[in-house]
Amino acid sequence: MTGTPEAAEPALASLQTERLRTTCDPAILGFESTAELSPLDSFVGQDRAIGAIRFGTSIKQPGFNLFALGAAGTGRRTAIRSLLNDKAATEPAPDDWVYVNNFETAHKPKALRLPPGTAVRLRDCMNALIDDLAAAIPALFESDDYRARRRAIDEEAEEAHEKAFDELRKKADAQSVAILRTPMGFALAPMRDEQVIKPEVFNAMPREEREAIEAKIAALQEDLEAVLMRLPMIQKEHRDRIRALNSELAGATIGLSIDQAKKDFATIEVVQEHLEAVRQDLVENTQIFLEEASAGEAQPFTMGGSSRQNDPRFRRYGVNVLVANGEPGRGAPVVFEEHPTLANIVGRVEHLSQMGALVTDFMLIKAGALHRANGGYLVIDARRLLTQPFSWDALKRNLGAGCVTIASAAEELSLLTTISLEPDPIPLEVKVVLVGERMLYYLLVSLDPDFSDLFKVQADFDEELERSEENTELYARLIATIAIREGLRPLTADGVARVIDEAARRAEDAERLSLRMGPLADLLREADFWSGEDGHERITAEDIDHAVKQRIRRSDRIRERSLEQITRGNVLIDTEGAVTGQINGLAVTGLGNFSFGRPSRITARVRMGAGKVVDIEREVELGGPLHSKGVLILSSFLSAHYALDRPMSLWASLVFEQSYGGVDGDSASSAELYALLSALADLPLRQDLAVTGSVNQIGQVQAIGGVNQKIEGFFDICAQRGLTGRQGVLIPASNVKHLMLREDVVAAAADGRFHIYPVETIDQGISLLTGVPAGRRGDDRRFPEGSVNGRVEARLVEFATSRREFAIRPGEQAPDPETGT
Amino acid sequence: MTPATARPPISRVLVELGVIPDGDRVIGIACDLAAAIQAELHGLLVEDEALDDLSGLPFAHTVLPGRARPEALNPELLRQAYERQAASCRRTLSARAGGSQVTWSLDTARGHGTAEFLARISRSDLVVLQQHSLGQSIRDLIGQARSAAVVASGVVLIGRRIGRESGPVVAIDDGDEAGAETITLTARLARRLGASVELFIIADDDRSARRIEARAMALLGGVPVTAVRRFADRQDGALEDALGRSAPRFVVADIEGAPFRDNETAVRVIRAALAPIILIKPRPAG
């Protein structure tokens, strides 16, 4: 029996109005204004992520750092900030850290761990100590006693200096030899009659006399060498005596100051050790206090305020406060590093330019985020971190090593040739929270072997919330919370309902609400602005609508141009009539935070061939892989659905007409298949309908994204040209739950001027598009004659027969087209 | 050397650039002085004839400070050393004097060392003398200064140890006519260097001290005076201690007045000052 079209396919009805947009009824909200609502103290719809953060921040074992993943605007940072601040407030403030000079190895500054609140006190104490000594020590050296002793030492050195030379000079005089200065040094010259003996006179002397002169010159020369060699020793001895005198005089004063400082930090062993080192160094270098006054005058620019602390001679006694955690009630630190360069993460050693050279010391060590967050929490944007050279590696290295080691990019690249430091590493106990997109998380998991060891906790932030009655109520409170937090006007119940509808539309799902807090807060801020402009005391549904429309208005210049191209006939789109092998597909164009749908004409041409469907987009490399996949699937559908006992002898081509920018996705594959079937069946397709939906190999129409924008895109064209009452869009039935259409589209549908058809199968769609039943195979495995499928199969058999005829050699008989024999 | 009759104004700063150990520093000081008194700067290199004779002897050697072995000396090596020295002095003069807008010149003379240098001093000269790093005592330097001052209008003594290139200019005024010239030069020098002045008055009674101070203040004009100290003539050690505290950049005094009239006091003062000492010769009366 041959199948009948009527029995197989009931007529496809367009959707009822209430299914096109699921609106929130303000009456169910139970309030008139959000002013009546208390703000939320929890995070709506993020139980999984919040639980993960609580777990990750509580577990103390190493490696349990967190990665908060999810789309931007889902409230990740707000949630993390709030949770971390709450937790940190209950934890003790971590220790302070300072760097001090290493008097034994100056390029390896010492890190001192101090109880919280001690670092600044120690720094101030050392500054005061140096200030006191700078005042007290010069006064000691002003004393007559000191001056007399100092003058005696100076004169002794001077006399020793002169005596050494005088003795030699006398000895030389006694032997008629003069000590002469030359441009290079000293020379000994034999004298006669107070004149140097001239060479001709010398040469005329008897040999014995010449030898005698040479001998005494040689002997005196040795004495002269000895004197010259002894002079540096005299100078050194002089310096040592001065130093000893200075130390003797200043030692007691220095000792008193140091002992006082030690009392102030009696319980801190590392400070006691450091102060002892300072005492020893000060006693050995007392003269720096005596040089101070004149050195200050010599500098053309003085550094305002604490010039003594900036004086290179006194900096060695300073205390560089790296981290100070002494504020009462502050708890553990929570640091958000917004610019995670290598230096900002691990700290840096700065340099000063002096006489054209770069110099540094321990006072120029600057803390990084790891130092500041040590003992607490560090939050970093993952993308920013990964795009900064060396930052990611440095973070991993320090977390892995459990200590912060300062390294510069120049050192990493071996570019630094100037003096630098090797500060003591500082033990690290920090919980790092990376905030990033899902893609980054999964890329790191798969590509970086260290990542999973260091970031064991994922806090996955959901982007949507089920639109249940309970959640709608919660969402209303969330809106109220944002309004309170942002200082906005309260919202009326209908305003809240309108925001909830918009949240569903943003989620592209009538049964879900978007949890992207950023755009939601922006909508409320904008609505508040318009509300103010209109003199409203509360934000109404009208204000929300106005805000939405204004936002679209600001963004839709390209949409308008695109629409105009179609209405002016530059881009060919029919919205009435019927054409064979031609259909209106639908595409979505994304422009940052705004996207819109637009129709695109798809055409198909067929002829006998070798079983190939040519995707022209693919051939010219304008089609993406998903689009190619869709075309291959529909080719497979054709092969498996029709003329199964014949070789596929079709050559077909498919193209998006006037498409110049590339096509991807498979949402047009059902439209392409309809065009192909139309071409094969030689049946015209309705041009007042547009189609979206992907198709699988067995002819089922599957859900696609952007259904609302696609429908609205075709609606706008039809509305511009005048709605006929026959126009509409075929969408996958599985997309019906996603419908949150604009109110003007819904109104047109309610009036019967526009239609949305939910399609489950290709047969349903092609019947609607052609007005001819698709037809099902009967018991004889044949499609009903005249049905779309019957006509398609007949055409394919015809192609197969013709192709075989081409293959018959002259004299051979053509096969029976029915039996193939 | 021509004996003085009436001293003309100083128009030239003369500096011996023979075997000085620190030419750059001496030229710098001489430049500051020349600029302050708007005088020409003249460098003199004396090629000692005694060295010529010595370099012709077969055993002639030079012993260099800090070198283990003496080096042979011959006329050719000596000539090269003089050439290097002249080139170095010219470069330094050009750099330092050029930077200070001071007119400068450099001469080379042959003769008997110091005697040749003294012979070239004129009455309008301020002569810069530096204590040699070795083999010359401060007493020798003072002796040389007195010889130079027979003709020159003044001398500048630069001891072996000079403290610093900052600090006040100290003027020592004993109230005579040369004291007035001392103050006038001090004012010009302080203005040139942007330095302050400390006034050391040598007076045995309050009245004289007040008179000297009043005259000095008038002569100093607007130059800031940061300290005025009074000393009695022949007051042992007080002036030296005060100089040590002041840490001056320059000291200006009268070569025939206190405390430089006797050599022993002068030696102590020069050692304590650790600064160049400018000694002005008084104009003959009438």
Side-chain angles (χ1 to χ4, degrees):
Chain A
M1 191 182 111
T2 304
T4 58
E6 296 78 10
E9 295 142 20
L12 191 62
S14 62
L15 286 171
Q16 296 295 309
T17 313
E18 60 270 18
R19 301 194 65 186
L20 302 183
R21 179 181 176 92
T22 307
T23 53
C24 175
D25 181 1
I28 68 159
L29 295 174
F31 59 84
E32 286 187 9
S33 153
T34 55
E36 301 163 28
L37 302 180
S38 57
L40 281 172
D41 54 5
S42 59
F43 300 93
V44 176
Q46 303 293 8
D47 294 346
R48 180 189 291 108
I50 301 304
I53 293 171
R54 290 208 165 106
F55 164 74
T57 52
S58 299
I59 189 166
K60 295 299 176 196
Q61 275 70 19
F64 283 85
N65 296 296
L66 293 98
F67 194 111
L69 60 154
T74 48
R76 293 166 304 176
R77 291 172 70 87
T78 310
I80 289 165
R81 187 185 297 274
S82 171
L83 290 169
L84 293 186
N85 282 341
D86 290 349
K87 183 155 179 54
T90 65
E91 295 173 346
D95 288 334
D96 290 354
W97 283 95
V98 299
Y99 271 111
V100 294
N101 187 40
N102 183 339
F103 294 102
E104 290 167 4
T105 318
H107 74 283
K108 291 185 173 178
K110 286 183 174 173
L112 304 186
R113 181 179 209 145
L114 306 173
T118 313
V120 172
R121 205 155 55 81
L122 178 62
R123 181 193 63 195
D124 294 346
C125 171
M126 288 306 296
N127 289 346
L129 185 147
I130 295 300
D131 282 345
D132 290 347
L133 291 177
I137 288 177
L140 290 176
F141 287 76
E142 292 285 321
S143 68
D144 290 343
D145 174 53
Y146 172 77
R147 288 188 175 279
R149 290 169 70 182
R150 170 72 193 255
R151 199 160 52 238
I153 292 170
D154 288 347
E155 282 177 8
E156 280 175 34
E158 191 76 21
E159 278 164 14
H161 200 260
E162 289 173 8
K163 188 179 165 194
F165 228 87
D166 277 349
E167 284 172 359
L168 180 66
R169 187 184 288 161
K170 282 175 188 161
K171 189 174 175 184
D173 281 348
Q175 298 178 52
S176 298
V177 174
I179 302 174
L180 301 181
R181 275 182 215 94
T182 76
M184 301 87 92
F186 295 90
L188 294 163
M191 304 292 284
R192 180 175 287 176
D193 301 331
E194 296 191 351
Q195 298 286 324
V196 174
I197 296 174
K198 294 190 182 299
E200 57 274 20
V201 175
F202 181 79
N203 291 332
M205 287 177 176
R207 182 164 158 259
E208 293 75 21
E209 194 176 352
R210 290 203 311 267
E211 285 177 353
I213 288 173
E214 285 188 34
K216 69 183 177 188
I217 292 284
L220 285 168
Q221 203 159 275
E222 282 181 13
D223 290 346
L224 178 60
E225 286 169 32
V227 167
L228 293 180
M229 293 299 283
R230 205 162 72 232
L231 291 178
M233 296 304 296
I234 293 172
Q235 287 163 354
K236 182 179 180 305
E237 190 185 335
H238 175 242
R239 284 196 301 270
D240 290 346
R241 289 181 69 191
I242 296 293
R243 189 174 293 126
L245 174 65
N246 293 349
S247 300
E248 178 195 328
L249 198 67
T253 304
I254 292 168
L256 278 174
S257 296
I258 293 285
D259 289 345
Q260 182 58 47
K262 286 176 83 172
K263 274 185 202 161
D264 292 347
F265 299 91
T267 58
I268 309 170
E269 186 63 28
V270 288
V271 175
Q272 299 288 311
E273 288 170 11
H274 175 65
L275 287 171
E276 266 312 307
V278 170
R279 180 209 301 267
Q280 196 173 336
D281 194 79
L282 279 169
V283 167
E284 288 171 5
N285 295 285
T286 315
Q287 72 281 1
I288 61 174
F289 292 99
L290 309 179
E291 294 162 2
E292 182 200 13
S294 56
E297 283 177 37
Q299 289 168 3
F301 305 106
T302 54
M303 295 180 213
S306 55
S307 61
R308 186 165 292 122
Q309 280 75 53
N310 290 320
D311 188 316
R313 289 165 300 165
F314 297 111
R315 283 170 70 90
R316 58 204 274 113
Y317 307 112
V319 173
N320 180 1
V321 178
L322 204 66
V323 184
N325 289 306
E327 285 178 39
R330 189 173 157 195
V334 179
V335 175
F336 281 73
E337 180 51 62
E338 304 296 346
H339 187 38
T341 60
L342 175 64
N344 287 352
I345 292 287
V346 300
R348 62 189 180 278
V349 179
E350 295 184 337
H351 289 76
L352 289 173
S353 177
Q354 279 185 4
M355 309 290 284
L358 293 176
V359 296
T360 187
D361 63 18
F362 71 98
M363 292 297 281
L364 293 174
I365 299 171
K366 303 295 176 190
L370 283 173
H371 294 107
R372 295 196 308 276
N374 201 2
Y377 305 92
L378 172 60
V379 185
I380 312 174
D381 182 279
R383 180 180 288 275
R384 289 183 196 160
L385 178 70
L386 291 167
T387 52
Q388 289 293 335
F390 308 116
S391 293
W392 174 236
D393 276 345
L395 178 66
K396 286 193 299 179
R397 193 168 56 241
N398 285 288
L399 285 176
C403 59
V404 196
T405 305
I406 295 174
S408 72
E411 284 168 26
E412 297 274 346
L413 293 168
S414 302
L415 292 177
L416 197 68
T417 56
T418 189
I419 298 168
S420 196
L421 302 175
E422 293 173 35
D424 276 354
I426 288 180
L428 180 65
E429 193 180 329
V430 68
K431 192 70 77 176
V432 176
V433 182
L434 294 183
V435 182
E437 299 144 40
R438 277 198 183 76
M439 184 189 72
L440 283 180
Y441 176 80
Y442 292 113
L443 280 173
L444 286 167
V445 167
S446 60
L447 298 177
D448 189 335
D450 301 328
F451 179 74
S452 300
D453 291 337
L454 294 171
F455 291 86
K456 294 178 195 286
V457 182
Q458 58 168 307
D460 196 343
F461 280 75
D462 220 328
E463 283 140 47
E464 289 167 6
L465 173 71
E466 191 190 349
R467 195 178 178 182
S468 64
E469 196 171 321
E470 185 188 353
N471 285 345
T472 300
E473 201 175 304
L474 263 178
Y475 209 87
R477 284 185 64 196
L478 173 65
I479 292 166
T481 306
I482 294 172
I484 293 166
R485 192 183 66 207
E486 297 286 323
L488 309 176
R489 291 170 177 76
L491 285 86
T492 59
D494 65 344
V496 171
R498 182 67 187 83
V499 175
I500 289 172
D501 291 349
E502 190 60 22
R505 187 174 159 85
R506 282 183 191 280
E508 294 191 354
D509 194 329
E511 297 171 0
R512 304 265 161 193
L513 296 171
S514 170
L515 283 176
R516 298 183 66 167
M517 295 297 112
L520 175 63
D522 283 345
L523 175 63
L524 295 180
R525 291 181 194 117
E526 289 172 27
D528 181 70
F529 171 80
W530 294 117
S531 180
E533 289 286 293
D534 291 344
H536 297 165
E537 289 182 0
R538 294 185 292 187
I539 300 171
T540 63
E542 186 189 330
D543 296 324
I544 300 291
D545 272 337
H546 194 170
V548 170
K549 283 176 185 161
Q550 285 297 322
R551 179 181 286 187
I552 292 170
R553 171 69 187 150
R554 292 196 297 271
S555 313
D556 78 343
R557 189 186 65 83
I558 292 176
R559 185 180 72 97
E560 276 190 9
R561 294 289 90 77
S562 172
L563 189 63
E564 191 180 278
Q565 290 287 308
I566 294 170
T567 53
R568 294 179 68 194
N570 298 334
V571 172
L572 300 178
I573 297 291
D574 290 342
T575 51
E576 56 187 22
V579 180
T580 302
Q582 174 180 306
I583 194 164
N584 293 321
L586 292 167
V588 172
T589 299
L591 300 170
N593 58 358
F594 176 67
S595 59
F596 63 92
R598 60 185 173 82
S600 184
R601 175 178 286 179
I602 300 169
T603 60
R605 289 293 178 265
V606 295
R607 53 159 289 165
M608 182 194 75
K612 185 179 180 186
V613 176
V614 175
D615 173 10
I616 291 178
E617 306 298 331
R618 172 76 174 172
E619 294 295 312
V620 297
E621 297 182 350
L622 280 173
L626 292 180
H627 179 256
S628 300
K629 181 186 173 188
V631 172
L632 289 173
I633 288 171
L634 71 86
S635 304
S636 172
F637 168 80
L638 281 178
S639 304
H641 206 59
Y642 303 107
L644 301 177
D645 52 353
R646 301 284 196 289
M648 180 57 82
S649 303
L650 167 71
W651 180 93
S653 64
L654 285 166
V655 69
F656 275 70
E657 303 288 357
Q658 295 183 287
S659 161
Y660 309 105
V663 176
D664 201 8
D666 64 352
S667 70
S669 60
S670 67
E672 289 169 313
L673 182 54
Y674 292 138
L676 203 51
L677 293 176
S678 162
L680 283 167
D682 196 20
L683 286 169
L685 294 172
R686 284 175 60 181
Q687 300 299 300
D688 49 13
L689 296 174
V691 174
T692 185
S694 68
V695 64
N696 64 17
Q697 289 196 104
I698 55 176
Q700 291 170 317
V701 176
Q702 304 166 143
I704 45 79
V707 66
N708 293 304
Q709 289 96 328
K710 285 174 177 172
I711 294 169
E712 288 159 5
F714 189 64
F715 172 83
D716 288 339
I717 301 290
C718 296
Q720 285 251 331
R721 290 177 173 169
L723 293 170
T724 62
R726 285 178 53 76
Q727 291 147 332
V729 178
L730 280 66
I731 64 166
S734 47
N735 273 124
V736 170
K737 58 181 171 293
H738 301 137
L739 290 177
M740 279 299 294
L741 288 167
R742 274 187 346 229
E743 285 179 342
D744 55 340
V745 182
V746 176
D751 294 347
R753 290 180 292 131
F754 198 74
H755 307 276
I756 313 299
Y757 297 100
V759 177
E760 290 178 355
T761 64
I762 288 296
D763 283 354
Q764 285 179 334
I766 196 70
S767 298
L768 182 63
L769 287 161
T770 59
V772 176
R776 287 185 180 170
R777 287 189 192 278
D779 296 340
D780 57 357
R781 308 297 304 150
R782 293 188 178 187
F783 288 111
E785 197 173 332
S787 68
V788 178
N789 287 333
R791 293 172 69 107
V792 169
E793 188 159 75
R795 186 77 178 275
L796 290 172
V797 168
E798 185 187 319
F799 283 159
T801 305
S802 301
R803 190 178 170 206
R804 179 162 186 161
E805 282 173 0
F806 274 106
I808 294 171
R809 283 175 293 196
E812 286 183 347
Q813 193 175 3
D816 182 337
E818 288 295 310
T819 62
T821 56
Chain B
M1 198 156 69
T2 313
T5 50
R7 182 166 75 69
I10 297 168
S11 61
R12 188 172 77 157
V13 174
L14 176 67
V15 55
E16 185 192 3
L17 297 170
V19 286
I20 54 172
D22 190 358
D24 191 51
R25 188 159 194 193
V26 172
I27 289 169
I29 291 167
C31 263
D32 284 339
L33 287 169
I37 59 177
Q38 296 177 319
E40 178 195 348
L41 174 61
H42 184 72
L44 183 65
L45 274 168
V46 178
E47 295 179 3
D48 195 339
E49 286 174 351
L51 282 179
D52 287 349
D53 293 338
L54 174 64
S55 67
L57 295 173
F59 51 82
H61 279 81
T62 297
V63 183
L64 284 73
R67 293 274 180 89
R69 297 174 67 83
E71 290 182 2
L73 180 68
N74 60 44
E76 177 58 19
L77 288 173
L78 187 63
R79 187 187 59 77
Q80 289 172 2
Y82 279 138
E83 284 173 3
R84 279 198 302 274
Q85 192 176 44
S88 169
C89 288
R90 191 166 286 110
R91 273 197 305 274
T92 309
L93 275 166
S94 173
R96 299 297 297 262
S100 304
Q101 309 282 312
V102 169
T103 306
W104 65 276
S105 55
L106 177 67
D107 270 351
T108 301
R110 291 182 62 77
H112 286 285
T114 303
E116 181 62 32
F117 177 69
L118 293 174
R120 288 176 176 261
I121 294 171
S122 70
R123 288 188 296 131
S124 58
D125 281 347
L126 180 63
V127 178
V128 179
L129 301 168
Q130 190 188 25
Q131 183 188 15
H132 299 140
S133 62
L134 292 169
Q136 188 185 29
S137 65
I138 290 178
R139 283 178 194 81
D140 295 341
L141 184 68
I142 292 170
Q144 197 180 343
R146 296 203 190 283
S147 301
V150 170
V151 176
S153 291
V155 291
V156 182
L157 304 183
I158 302 174
R160 195 178 289 136
R161 295 192 299 126
I162 294 181
R164 44 188 70 79
E165 292 185 4
S166 61
V169 178
V170 169
I172 303 175
D173 186 355
D174 57 5
D176 62 12
E177 189 57 31
E181 290 187 51
T182 296
I183 300 298
T184 305
L185 178 59
T186 299
R188 294 170 77 177
L189 196 54
R191 280 196 197 95
R192 160 74 187 169
L193 301 173
S196 59
V197 167
E198 287 192 14
L199 182 61
F200 286 16
I201 295 168
I202 312 287
D204 286 330
D205 58 80
D206 288 348
R207 192 175 163 203
S208 303
R210 281 197 296 275
R211 180 183 56 79
I212 294 169
E213 183 179 348
R215 184 183 68 170
M217 289 300 181
L219 291 169
L220 285 167
V223 176
V225 177
T226 52
V228 178
R229 303 183 207 279
R230 180 186 148 190
F231 306 91
D233 200 1
R234 313 282 179 189
Q235 185 181 345
D236 277 353
L239 189 87
E240 294 93 298
D241 286 347
L243 281 172
R245 284 190 202 96
S246 295
R249 185 168 179 180
F250 280 99
V251 177
V252 189
D254 166 8
I255 194 169
E256 292 179 1
F260 292 97
R261 70 168 77 91
D262 77 275
N263 283 359
E264 287 312 307
T265 311
V267 166
R268 287 202 307 274
V269 169
I270 292 170
R271 278 182 179 158
L274 297 177
I277 313 265
I278 304 167
L279 298 174
I280 299 295
K281 192 172 76 174
R283 290 172 190 269

